[in-house]
Amino acid sequence: MKYCALLVFVPLAAVLAADPPPAPAPGELHGHTALVYGLAFSPEGKQLATAGFDNVVKIWDPNGWKEIRTLTGHTGPVYCVAYSKDGSSLASSSADKTIRLWKAADGSFLREIKGHTDIVDCVAWNPDGKLVASGGGRDDKTVRLWNPADGKEMKNLGAHAGAVYAVAFSPDGKYLASGSADMTIKIWDVMGQKELKTLKGPTGGVTALAYTTDGTLLSVGQDRTFRVWDVNAGKESKTLQQTPDKQDDLYGLAISPDGKSVATSGYSGWLTVWSLADGKPTWSKKLPAPCAFCCAFTPDGKSIVTGHEILPNLKNAPCYITAVGAP
């Protein structure tokens, strides 16, 4: 299970003071009262959604980093947020065993989706916005497809042997990847609604997944590795790891807007940018706080937002905005 309640943008010029709590400094967002476990930018880059363990979703304006609104309704910690590709809708998943759909333009509630029997760890939209996929916690373990138009379950694809931490659709929408605490990735045929293959190799839980525009699958996990997969061959093409002094259980994974770089973030607070071409780390920074469970590039690709656990000397869980390449 992942935990996160702070978002981080680097560089961060402020030093976290003791008592009283400091005012938000440039590069920080304060609003959640418990860890920030997930975040996502809208496709056009006009909104940032953050998922908090305070049971709410917050929407921020990246132009000035002001909070726009708070979405309430979940009765448990919110684990994941995801925008539809056209930016019209937002999905959130929660420990209350539900998925909630929202109208992105004004935050109005659309519908609630029920069916999982445990925490809904992750949620994702297919490219045309006509399907939502989700993964269940350790007492559920299932991967499910839903119709967002009416909230009805279309298919329970099957189960992992552990909690499902991540789901991601391929760019053409034909395949769905799911990553689990059971240390495997499963590839599902969306149209055929069946499992195609299981990818093995990680020695820890698979915590995040992402597809590149050319269909290459990326993963990170609790074995401190960033892996690149040849899905057709059913094996890894690259296994990447930081130097021993910077190794970290990895939870956050994001692809830059130009598709050339990948960001990873981890439990100890390391944020690393990798070149997708050669798999080498090009920049890394130890963030002011640990537990960087989620990360995302800003729309211009110049900074990265991370979400963290709340710190003892802070009243709210901060989000940091970090400039790529900052010392």
Side-chain angles (χ1 to χ4, degrees):
M1 185 179 296
K2 308 183 292 182
Y3 295 96
C4 166
L6 183 113
L7 300 175
V8 183
F9 299 62
V10 182
L12 177 64
V15 175
L16 301 180
D19 189 30
E28 295 182 25
L29 303 179
H30 293 249
H32 285 283
T33 57
L35 70 86
V36 178
Y37 201 63
L39 55 85
F41 280 97
S42 59
E44 78 287 351
K46 294 182 179 180
Q47 293 183 3
L48 170 69
T50 55
F53 270 30
D54 51 5
N55 302 358
V56 302
V57 175
K58 287 187 178 290
I59 308 298
W60 309 80
D61 180 358
N63 184 19
W65 299 110
K66 301 295 184 181
E67 182 180 331
I68 301 172
R69 63 182 64 94
T70 297
L71 309 183
T72 61
H74 281 296
T75 58
V78 184
Y79 276 75
C80 185
V81 285
Y83 282 94
S84 59
K85 190 173 182 180
D86 66 2
S88 64
S89 301
L90 175 70
S92 57
S93 66
S94 170
D96 65 11
K97 306 177 187 178
T98 72
I99 299 163
R100 292 176 74 87
L101 303 183
W102 315 84
K103 186 176 179 181
D106 59 11
S108 57
F109 173 67
L110 295 175
R111 63 189 50 85
E112 184 178 65
I113 296 175
K114 293 182 177 181
H116 281 287
T117 59
D118 194 11
I119 292 167
V120 187
D121 273 310
C122 50
V123 64
W125 295 82
N126 79 329
D128 67 9
K130 295 180 179 179
L131 283 176
V132 168
S134 60
R138 63 185 180 183
D139 292 330
D140 181 296
K141 307 182 185 70
T142 62
V143 179
R144 304 184 188 223
L145 296 176
W146 311 87
N147 181 351
D150 58 16
K152 294 182 179 180
E153 183 178 307
M154 298 184 68
K155 182 71 175 179
N156 181 338
L157 291 174
H160 279 268
V164 183
Y165 290 149
V167 287
F169 282 97
S170 61
D172 59 10
K174 293 181 179 180
Y175 307 106
L176 177 72
S178 57
S180 172
D182 67 9
M183 301 183 285
T184 70
I185 298 169
K186 290 184 181 292
I187 306 298
W188 309 86
D189 177 351
V190 174
M191 289 297 294
Q193 298 184 342
K194 62 183 180 180
E195 181 183 338
L196 292 178
K197 62 186 68 177
T198 298
L199 307 179
K200 298 180 179 180
T203 57
V206 180
T207 52
L209 298 167
Y211 274 98
T212 63
T213 54
D214 67 359
T216 299
L217 181 63
L218 312 177
S219 72
V220 296
Q222 293 166 327
D223 60 359
R224 302 188 169 193
T225 62
F226 162 38
R227 296 174 188 255
V228 182
W229 297 88
D230 181 340
V231 175
N232 291 331
K235 62 181 182 181
E236 307 159 34
S237 56
K238 293 177 186 176
T239 300
L240 312 172
Q241 198 167 30
Q242 264 286 24
T243 55
D245 61 316
K246 297 177 181 178
Q247 286 181 11
D248 207 353
D249 289 359
L250 299 177
Y251 290 89
L253 174 65
I255 301 173
S256 63
D258 64 8
K260 296 180 180 180
S261 301
V262 174
T264 60
S265 62
Y267 188 81
S268 298
W270 279 104
L271 176 63
T272 300
V273 175
W274 310 76
S275 166
L276 199 50
D278 59 18
K280 295 180 179 180
T282 59
W283 173 79
S284 61
K285 183 177 179 67
K286 187 70 175 289
L287 298 170
C291 301
F293 287 115
C294 47
C295 64
F297 280 91
T298 53
D300 62 9
K302 295 180 180 180
S303 297
I304 299 168
V305 185
T306 51
H308 301 248
E309 175 62 278
I310 194 167
L311 298 177
N313 62 330
L314 293 178
K315 185 177 181 180
N316 299 107
C319 300
Y320 292 132
I321 307 161
T322 304
V324 175

